[in-house]
mmCIF file of all heavy atoms in Angstrom:
data_model
loop_
_atom_site.group_PDB
_atom_site.id
_atom_site.type_symbol
_atom_site.label_atom_id
_atom_site.label_comp_id
_atom_site.label_asym_id
_atom_site.label_seq_id
_atom_site.Cartn_x
_atom_site.Cartn_y
_atom_site.Cartn_z
ATOM 1 N N SER A 146 186.261 78.857 272.597
ATOM 2 C CA SER A 146 187.360 79.672 273.127
ATOM 3 C C SER A 146 187.360 81.099 272.592
ATOM 4 O O SER A 146 187.647 82.041 273.335
ATOM 5 C CB SER A 146 188.698 78.992 272.829
ATOM 6 O OG SER A 146 188.887 78.867 271.433
ATOM 7 N N SER A 147 187.046 81.287 271.313
ATOM 8 C CA SER A 147 187.093 82.651 270.756
ATOM 9 C C SER A 147 186.054 83.537 271.439
ATOM 10 O O SER A 147 186.308 84.719 271.712
ATOM 11 C CB SER A 147 186.868 82.632 269.244
ATOM 12 O OG SER A 147 185.565 82.179 268.926
ATOM 13 N N LEU A 150 187.224 84.451 275.081
ATOM 14 C CA LEU A 150 188.188 85.556 275.098
ATOM 15 C C LEU A 150 187.504 86.888 274.820
ATOM 16 O O LEU A 150 187.813 87.906 275.438
ATOM 17 C CB LEU A 150 189.319 85.292 274.100
ATOM 18 C CG LEU A 150 190.413 84.451 274.750
ATOM 19 C CD1 LEU A 150 190.819 83.271 273.938
ATOM 20 C CD2 LEU A 150 191.606 85.329 275.098
ATOM 21 N N TYR A 151 186.562 86.879 273.890
ATOM 22 C CA TYR A 151 185.818 88.100 273.551
ATOM 23 C C TYR A 151 184.999 88.544 274.766
ATOM 24 O O TYR A 151 184.942 89.730 275.097
ATOM 25 C CB TYR A 151 184.913 87.812 272.350
ATOM 26 C CG TYR A 151 184.445 89.039 271.609
ATOM 27 C CD1 TYR A 151 185.055 89.440 270.418
ATOM 28 C CD2 TYR A 151 183.379 89.807 272.090
ATOM 29 C CE1 TYR A 151 184.615 90.566 269.726
ATOM 30 C CE2 TYR A 151 182.944 90.928 271.409
ATOM 31 C CZ TYR A 151 183.565 91.303 270.225
ATOM 32 O OH TYR A 151 183.127 92.419 269.546
ATOM 33 N N SER A 154 187.505 89.761 277.663
ATOM 34 C CA SER A 154 188.436 90.843 277.332
ATOM 35 C C SER A 154 187.755 92.070 276.747
ATOM 36 O O SER A 154 188.254 93.183 276.891
ATOM 37 C CB SER A 154 189.466 90.362 276.295
ATOM 38 O OG SER A 154 189.942 89.082 276.607
ATOM 39 N N ILE A 155 186.635 91.887 276.057
ATOM 40 C CA ILE A 155 186.008 93.010 275.347
ATOM 41 C C ILE A 155 184.655 93.372 275.964
ATOM 42 O O ILE A 155 184.311 94.540 276.074
ATOM 43 C CB ILE A 155 185.867 92.675 273.834
ATOM 44 C CG1 ILE A 155 187.275 92.443 273.240
ATOM 45 C CG2 ILE A 155 185.133 93.788 273.084
ATOM 46 C CD1 ILE A 155 187.313 92.030 271.800
ATOM 47 N N ALA A 208 196.798 90.814 263.424
ATOM 48 C CA ALA A 208 196.271 90.618 264.780
ATOM 49 C C ALA A 208 196.245 89.129 265.133
ATOM 50 O O ALA A 208 196.578 88.737 266.257
ATOM 51 C CB ALA A 208 194.868 91.213 264.877
ATOM 52 N N GLY A 212 198.260 87.247 268.109
ATOM 53 C CA GLY A 212 197.551 86.391 269.077
ATOM 54 C C GLY A 212 198.250 85.049 269.229
ATOM 55 O O GLY A 212 198.401 84.530 270.343
ATOM 56 N N SER A 236 189.536 93.035 263.772
ATOM 57 C CA SER A 236 190.934 92.736 264.108
ATOM 58 C C SER A 236 191.044 92.254 265.558
ATOM 59 O O SER A 236 191.753 91.286 265.853
ATOM 60 C CB SER A 236 191.824 93.968 263.932
ATOM 61 O OG SER A 236 191.886 94.316 262.594
ATOM 62 N N LEU A 237 190.326 92.933 266.450
ATOM 63 C CA LEU A 237 190.321 92.498 267.851
ATOM 64 C C LEU A 237 189.756 91.086 267.972
ATOM 65 O O LEU A 237 190.282 90.245 268.697
ATOM 66 C CB LEU A 237 189.432 93.440 268.676
ATOM 67 C CG LEU A 237 190.083 94.695 269.215
ATOM 68 C CD1 LEU A 237 189.015 95.637 269.746
ATOM 69 C CD2 LEU A 237 191.083 94.349 270.324
ATOM 70 N N ARG A 238 188.672 90.837 267.259
ATOM 71 C CA ARG A 238 188.037 89.510 267.315
ATOM 72 C C ARG A 238 188.999 88.437 266.805
ATOM 73 O O ARG A 238 189.126 87.371 267.406
ATOM 74 C CB ARG A 238 186.763 89.533 266.458
ATOM 75 C CG ARG A 238 185.936 88.263 266.527
ATOM 76 C CD ARG A 238 184.929 88.213 265.389
ATOM 77 N NE ARG A 238 185.603 88.169 264.106
ATOM 78 C CZ ARG A 238 185.196 88.789 262.996
ATOM 79 N NH1 ARG A 238 184.093 89.476 262.989
ATOM 80 N NH2 ARG A 238 185.906 88.711 261.884
ATOM 81 N N GLU A 239 189.710 88.742 265.718
ATOM 82 C CA GLU A 239 190.657 87.765 265.172
ATOM 83 C C GLU A 239 191.824 87.538 266.129
ATOM 84 O O GLU A 239 192.337 86.432 266.244
ATOM 85 C CB GLU A 239 191.171 88.209 263.795
ATOM 86 C CG GLU A 239 190.112 88.190 262.709
ATOM 87 C CD GLU A 239 189.443 86.824 262.514
ATOM 88 O OE1 GLU A 239 190.079 85.780 262.761
ATOM 89 O OE2 GLU A 239 188.264 86.809 262.128
ATOM 90 N N PHE A 240 192.246 88.609 266.811
ATOM 91 C CA PHE A 240 193.297 88.448 267.822
ATOM 92 C C PHE A 240 192.825 87.485 268.911
ATOM 93 O O PHE A 240 193.527 86.538 269.275
ATOM 94 C CB PHE A 240 193.660 89.811 268.430
ATOM 95 C CG PHE A 240 194.547 89.705 269.632
ATOM 96 C CD1 PHE A 240 195.913 89.510 269.482
ATOM 97 C CD2 PHE A 240 194.028 89.769 270.922
ATOM 98 C CE1 PHE A 240 196.749 89.375 270.596
ATOM 99 C CE2 PHE A 240 194.839 89.635 272.030
ATOM 100 C CZ PHE A 240 196.204 89.438 271.867
ATOM 101 N N MET A 241 191.617 87.723 269.414
ATOM 102 C CA MET A 241 191.089 86.892 270.503
ATOM 103 C C MET A 241 190.956 85.434 270.049
ATOM 104 O O MET A 241 191.305 84.504 270.788
ATOM 105 C CB MET A 241 189.727 87.415 270.973
ATOM 106 C CG MET A 241 189.780 88.792 271.600
ATOM 107 S SD MET A 241 190.869 88.828 273.041
ATOM 108 C CE MET A 241 191.098 90.594 273.254
ATOM 109 N N ALA A 242 190.446 85.238 268.839
ATOM 110 C CA ALA A 242 190.263 83.868 268.330
ATOM 111 C C ALA A 242 191.609 83.160 268.205
ATOM 112 O O ALA A 242 191.733 81.968 268.513
ATOM 113 C CB ALA A 242 189.547 83.901 266.986
ATOM 114 N N ALA A 243 192.635 83.901 267.789
ATOM 115 C CA ALA A 243 193.963 83.302 267.629
ATOM 116 C C ALA A 243 194.559 82.928 268.988
ATOM 117 O O ALA A 243 195.152 81.854 269.140
ATOM 118 C CB ALA A 243 194.884 84.280 266.895
ATOM 119 N N VAL A 244 194.376 83.808 269.972
ATOM 120 C CA VAL A 244 194.877 83.497 271.325
ATOM 121 C C VAL A 244 194.228 82.202 271.810
ATOM 122 O O VAL A 244 194.890 81.302 272.355
ATOM 123 C CB VAL A 244 194.575 84.658 272.312
ATOM 124 C CG1 VAL A 244 194.899 84.253 273.743
ATOM 125 C CG2 VAL A 244 195.361 85.909 271.930
ATOM 126 N N GLY A 245 192.935 82.080 271.585
ATOM 127 C CA GLY A 245 192.210 80.879 272.016
ATOM 128 C C GLY A 245 192.626 79.634 271.260
ATOM 129 O O GLY A 245 192.550 78.518 271.785
ATOM 130 N N THR A 246 193.070 79.815 270.034
ATOM 131 C CA THR A 246 193.483 78.672 269.203
ATOM 132 C C THR A 246 194.868 78.166 269.598
ATOM 133 O O THR A 246 195.108 76.960 269.630
ATOM 134 C CB THR A 246 193.506 79.100 267.715
ATOM 135 O OG1 THR A 246 192.190 79.518 267.360
ATOM 136 C CG2 THR A 246 193.942 77.969 266.797
ATOM 137 N N MET A 252 191.654 85.120 278.526
ATOM 138 C CA MET A 252 191.453 86.573 278.614
ATOM 139 C C MET A 252 192.766 87.289 278.324
ATOM 140 O O MET A 252 193.843 86.786 278.687
ATOM 141 C CB MET A 252 190.979 86.946 280.023
ATOM 142 C CG MET A 252 190.757 88.424 280.224
ATOM 143 S SD MET A 252 190.166 88.809 281.888
ATOM 144 C CE MET A 252 189.734 90.522 281.648
ATOM 145 N N VAL A 253 192.683 88.459 277.690
ATOM 146 C CA VAL A 253 193.840 89.342 277.534
ATOM 147 C C VAL A 253 193.336 90.766 277.794
ATOM 148 O O VAL A 253 192.332 91.180 277.209
ATOM 149 C CB VAL A 253 194.433 89.265 276.102
ATOM 150 C CG1 VAL A 253 195.603 90.236 275.955
ATOM 151 C CG2 VAL A 253 194.879 87.843 275.762
ATOM 152 N N ILE A 255 193.383 94.579 277.231
ATOM 153 C CA ILE A 255 193.885 95.563 276.268
ATOM 154 C C ILE A 255 193.421 96.938 276.748
ATOM 155 O O ILE A 255 192.210 97.224 276.734
ATOM 156 C CB ILE A 255 193.372 95.264 274.849
ATOM 157 C CG1 ILE A 255 193.805 93.850 274.452
ATOM 158 C CG2 ILE A 255 193.898 96.299 273.860
ATOM 159 C CD1 ILE A 255 193.388 93.433 273.074
ATOM 160 N N VAL A 258 190.288 99.029 275.681
ATOM 161 C CA VAL A 258 189.297 98.109 275.107
ATOM 162 C C VAL A 258 188.599 97.337 276.222
ATOM 163 O O VAL A 258 187.371 97.310 276.312
ATOM 164 C CB VAL A 258 189.973 97.114 274.117
ATOM 165 C CG1 VAL A 258 188.986 96.033 273.688
ATOM 166 C CG2 VAL A 258 190.535 97.856 272.914
ATOM 167 N N THR A 259 189.391 96.713 277.086
ATOM 168 C CA THR A 259 188.827 95.911 278.180
ATOM 169 C C THR A 259 188.166 96.848 279.191
ATOM 170 O O THR A 259 188.822 97.793 279.666
ATOM 171 C CB THR A 259 189.948 95.093 278.863
ATOM 172 O OG1 THR A 259 190.636 94.373 277.857
ATOM 173 C CG2 THR A 259 189.390 94.139 279.898
#
Side-chain angles (χ1 to χ4, degrees):
S146 61
S147 65
L150 274 130
Y151 199 100
S154 317
I155 299 177
S236 294
L237 274 168
R238 185 196 63 218
E239 292 303 331
F240 170 80
M241 295 301 164
V244 171
T246 300
M252 179 179 190
V253 178
I255 302 181
V258 171
T259 307

